[in-house]
Structure formats: C-alpha cells, structure tokens
C-alpha cells in the first residue's frame, strides 16, 4: 500500500511538491457526515508555505483519492529544545469536502438574497424519491443553482442514480446537512457524499449495497477485532403526529404512522410529534412520522471494529453505508451498516484500516444528538414564525 499527500487550492490546483516526510496520519470517513483527519509534518519552509487558509489536503491511497477536503486547522506548530534538531513540527487538521456544505443553512427562498426573504415562508419540497430532494436542497443553497454569493467554487452535482423512496420536507433556516440526513433516513436510508473528480468537487447521492453475502466478519476469518452487541426495545413503534392548530379553527389534522412488526414483536410504544403542517395534503405529517419511526425502531444495537485483510478490504469490497454480516462468537449472526472507516498510517509501521459497523446508537450518542437537532429545528421554527 502506498500513501501520497498533496496540498491544493480550492480550484484543485496542486500547490507544491508532495508532502513526503509526514510521520503520523489518521483519517476517518463517516457515513452521511463529514470526515476528519490529522497529519504530522516537519515544519520545513516548503511545507509551511503550502499550509494556507482555504487550501485543501488530499490523501491518495494506492493511486486513488481516499479523502480530500479543506484544512480546518492548517497550522498547529510546536518546537522545543527537547525535540530532535530541526525546524519543529506542525499538525494539520482537515476534513472532507462535505464539511464545506455543513456551513450552510436552508433558505426558504433560495433564489432571493438574504434581505429579500419573506415572513414565515418555508421551503417545501415533494419528489418522486429522496435523492431528488437532497440534490435540490444542495444545488439551490450552495451549488450551481444557488445565488452567486453562496456558490461553492468548482462544485457540481454528480449523475442522478435514482436512489431512495418518496419523501417530503419542509424546512427553514436549518443546517443543510441535518435536513439532508433527515430526508435520507425517511426516504430509504440512502447515502450522500462528496468526492474530488479532476478539477471539481462532486456531490452524489447513492443507494448503499447489501453485501451481507460477501462482506462477512468473524473471529474465525481473522477480520473482527472487537464487538459490543445488545438488543433493546424500540423507542417508538407508533408516531402520533398532530398538525398545526389554526386560530379560530377547531379542526386539526392527526396522522398515525406505525411499525406494526416492531409493535407485535415487543409492545406498543407511542410518541407524540407536533407537526409543522396544517394538514397532510402533501404528506408532510406522514413524513415526520416515518422519520421518527426510522430513527427510533432499532432494537438491535451493534458496534464492532473490523480490520482489513487481503480477502476483504474497505473501499474495495465494501464502503460506507453498505450492509455487511457479523458473526458473534456464540453463534448468532447479525447484519448492519458500515458507519465509518478509519485509516491510520506511519512510514515505519505502515497502514492499519478498521471499520465500525452498527446502528447509530452504538457508535455515537444518537439519542442526545437527535434530541439536540430536534430541539434546534423546533426552536428555529418558533423563532422564524
């Protein structure tokens, strides 16, 4: 395996020679979240002159781009007399290009300037599938369809793949990627990502693959390092969604969305949701219920760390969002999706690639994260009414 590091500007033009004297590299790619990375470099003049605000770091593994994106902390410099003779060292923190999209919010009227936004307007999108909604949100807020001041340089949408199921969204001043994740979850649990293609950053939506028959992990195969497994009751089997109350009108729409399979396997668990629509004509209340059920009904929580082998490698045989199989030591076999892929490397010890497989609850504190996002969304709507 060979690793090459390059620095480019926002037009993807290489800024100097490859960074050959790095000592530690740590890169994590995440499903539907910005990736992150850090690298340690000698603080040589030819290195420091490339570490400028706005530039990007590109990690190339075996001739293909593994991850590329902006340097969020271009220079974290240190020097002391206790170090070996030399100019000191610099740590660089970087992300993938999805982090740039994370800096945008959804404008209710994206074709207008900020000063031209109106009252309590919402952006309401209906589509034949979730991919269409996500692509529309991205292009009109930061892509080629956005007003000039909001366009990301050299950014384009990749080819349509037809991923996802029917979805609907109503949004106003929410973080763009939060809305995209919500649509991706309710519209078929699809994925989205960015990648560098020549002199462009391309955004794509995709349908993760079911690789449970070919991507298998177990102690016997030598590719399973650790695991945690628990089975618990769902947080909700029935989402009870209530539409907006209209002053002077006693009629209010109520919609129930149920996971009858989970309810019969466990028991009925109700959750009340205060919807933002007055009725369900466009399916908005139903979509809110679908999203809640998809996020709450995860009775199997699996967290594993796997390791690449010659027979099964991340990025080649499976990727982020793909469903894979994990054999537990006591004989039970479970399936879940790849949440993150972690690359660690040093010039002396080589590289080490691990993957985390499991439900969101097992890999991060999704309950608090989801609560914070839901509160932010509701407060944002209250503040902008």
């Amino acid at each position: 395996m060979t690793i090459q590091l390059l620095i480019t500007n926002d037009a993807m033009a290489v800024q100097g020679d490859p960074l050959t004297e790095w000592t530690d590299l740590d890169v994590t790619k995440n499903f539907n979240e910005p990736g992150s990375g850090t690298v340690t470099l000698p603080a040589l003049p030819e290195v420091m002159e490339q570490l400028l605000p706005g530039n990007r770091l590109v990690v190339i593994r075996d001739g293909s781009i593994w991850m590329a994106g902006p340097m969020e902390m271009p220079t974290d410099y240190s020097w002391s007399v206790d170090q070996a003779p030399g100019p000191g060292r610099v740590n660089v923190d970087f992300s993938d290009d999805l982090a740039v999209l994370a800096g945008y919010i959804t404008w209710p009227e994206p074709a207008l300037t900020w000063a031209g936004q109106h009252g309590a307007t919402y952006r309401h999108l209906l589509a034949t599938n979730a991919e269409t909604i996500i692509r529309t949100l991205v292009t009109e807020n930061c892509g080629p369809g956005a007003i000039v001041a909001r366009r990301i340089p050299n950014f384009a949408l990749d080819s349509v793949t037809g991923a996802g199921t029917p979805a609907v969204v109503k949004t106003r001043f929410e973080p763009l990627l939060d809305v995209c994740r919500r649509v991706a979850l309710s519209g078929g649990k699809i994925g989205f990502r960015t990648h560098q293609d020549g002199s462009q950053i391309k955004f794509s939506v995709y349908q993760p693959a079911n690789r449970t028959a070919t991507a298998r992990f177990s102690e016997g195969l030598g590719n399973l390092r650790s695991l945690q497994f628990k089975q618990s009751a769902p947080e909700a089997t029935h989402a009870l969604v209530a539409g907006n109350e209209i002053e002077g009108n006693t009629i209010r729409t109520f919609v129930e969305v149920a996971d009858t399979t989970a309810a019969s396997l466990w028991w009925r668990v109700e959750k009340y949701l205060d919807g933002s629509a007055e009725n369900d004509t466009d399916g908005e209340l139903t979509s809110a219920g679908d999203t809640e059920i998809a996020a709450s009904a995860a009775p199997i929580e699996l967290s594993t760390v796997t390791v690449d082998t010659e027979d099964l490698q991340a990025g080649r045989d499976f990727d982020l969002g793909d469903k894979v199989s994990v054999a537990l030591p006591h004989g039970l076999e479970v399936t879940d999706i790849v949440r993150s892929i972690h690359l660690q490397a040093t010039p002396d010890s080589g590289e080490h690639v691990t993957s985390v497989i499991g439900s969101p609850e097992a890999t991060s504190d999704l309950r608090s994260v989801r609560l914070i996002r839901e509160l932010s969304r509701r407060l944002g709507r209250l503040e902008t009414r």
Side-chain angles (χ1 to χ4, degrees):
M1 300 289 182
T2 58
I3 293 176
Q4 185 181 45
L5 304 181
L6 299 174
I7 301 293
T8 77
N9 60 15
D10 62 3
M12 269 57 73
V14 178
Q15 297 299 286
D17 293 332
L19 306 175
T20 57
E21 298 186 48
W22 56 273
T23 54
D24 291 285
L25 177 68
D26 193 299
V27 185
T28 301
K29 300 193 295 183
N30 298 311
F31 180 56
N32 288 357
E33 300 269 4
S36 63
T38 183
V39 62
T40 302
L41 301 160
L44 300 168
E46 59 269 25
V47 172
M48 299 300 290
E49 66 184 10
Q50 297 186 55
L51 304 181
L52 302 176
N55 281 353
R56 305 165 62 256
L57 196 145
V58 182
V59 179
I60 299 174
R61 181 179 183 235
D62 293 338
S64 300
I65 295 177
W66 178 258
M67 194 172 88
M71 295 184 292
E72 297 181 318
M73 187 183 293
T75 52
D76 180 6
Y77 174 76
S78 65
W79 176 89
S80 76
V81 294
D82 297 326
Q83 294 178 359
R89 64 188 179 196
V90 59
N91 291 324
V92 178
D93 291 347
F94 60 99
S95 184
D96 62 21
D97 289 303
L98 206 57
V100 180
L101 280 70
Y104 286 78
I105 63 173
T106 57
W107 286 19
E109 298 174 281
L112 304 180
T113 65
W114 180 251
Q117 302 296 306
H118 293 92
T121 306
Y122 283 85
R123 186 70 174 109
H124 196 181
L125 290 170
L126 302 171
T128 55
N129 58 28
E131 177 186 12
T132 304
I133 291 181
I134 294 172
R135 287 171 61 92
T136 300
L137 288 169
V138 168
T139 192
E140 69 185 18
N141 281 288
C142 61
I147 60 175
V148 174
R150 303 185 75 204
R151 293 177 190 169
I152 297 174
N154 304 292
F155 179 80
L157 270 65
D158 211 340
S159 302
V160 174
T161 63
T165 56
V168 59
V169 70
K170 186 176 182 181
T171 180
R172 172 181 173 86
F173 307 141
E174 296 179 84
L176 174 60
L177 289 191
D178 282 3
V179 183
C180 289
R181 278 188 288 268
R182 194 164 76 236
V183 174
L185 183 62
S186 65
K189 300 181 180 179
I190 58 178
F192 55 84
R193 56 194 170 198
T194 55
H195 66 280
Q196 181 177 323
D197 183 4
S199 61
Q200 284 188 314
I201 299 167
K202 290 189 175 179
F203 176 85
S204 60
V205 182
Y206 66 100
Q207 183 68 57
N210 185 341
R211 303 194 186 279
T212 53
T214 57
R216 304 173 65 83
F217 299 90
S218 71
E219 182 182 14
L221 292 173
N223 55 15
L224 184 62
R225 292 173 58 90
S226 66
L227 65 85
Q228 289 183 308
F229 169 80
K230 65 179 179 179
Q231 193 168 20
S232 56
E235 294 180 358
T237 62
H238 290 70
L240 308 177
V241 192
N244 280 344
E245 289 188 89
I246 305 172
E247 188 174 351
N249 190 339
T250 58
I251 300 175
R252 192 179 186 189
T253 302
F254 294 89
V255 172
E256 179 178 346
V257 178
D259 182 346
T260 55
T261 301
S264 62
L265 182 64
W266 295 87
W267 50 80
R268 182 183 178 104
V269 184
E270 298 180 343
K271 185 166 186 180
Y272 172 80
L273 297 177
D274 194 356
S276 61
E278 296 174 1
N279 54 58
D280 200 41
T281 304
D282 296 322
E284 184 186 337
L285 300 179
T286 300
S287 178
D290 287 337
T291 301
E292 182 60 40
I293 291 297
S296 300
I300 294 179
E301 299 180 13
L302 172 70
S303 176
T304 75
V305 176
T306 70
V307 62
D308 268 11
T309 64
E310 288 298 322
D311 296 326
L312 189 61
Q313 295 184 10
R316 186 192 71 184
D317 303 305
F318 63 92
D319 214 330
L320 292 171
D322 289 350
K323 182 175 285 189
V324 298
S325 299
V326 179
L328 278 61
H330 53 69
L332 180 65
E333 184 170 292
V334 295
T335 64
D336 219 313
I337 72 170
V338 180
R339 292 285 170 185
S340 66
I341 300 174
H342 187 195
L343 167 66
Q344 295 173 294
T346 67
D348 296 330
S349 61
E351 66 176 44
H352 183 62
V353 179
T354 59
S355 300
V356 174
I357 300 162
S359 58
E361 291 86 344
T363 57
S364 64
D365 191 7
L366 180 70
R367 288 178 176 86
S368 0
V369 171
R370 193 168 71 241
L371 176 60
I372 291 169
R373 287 175 176 166
E374 177 65 16
L375 287 174
S376 297
R377 181 175 68 88
R378 292 184 181 183
L379 285 172
R381 287 184 172 179
L382 287 172
E383 291 169 355
T384 54
R385 282 178 180 173

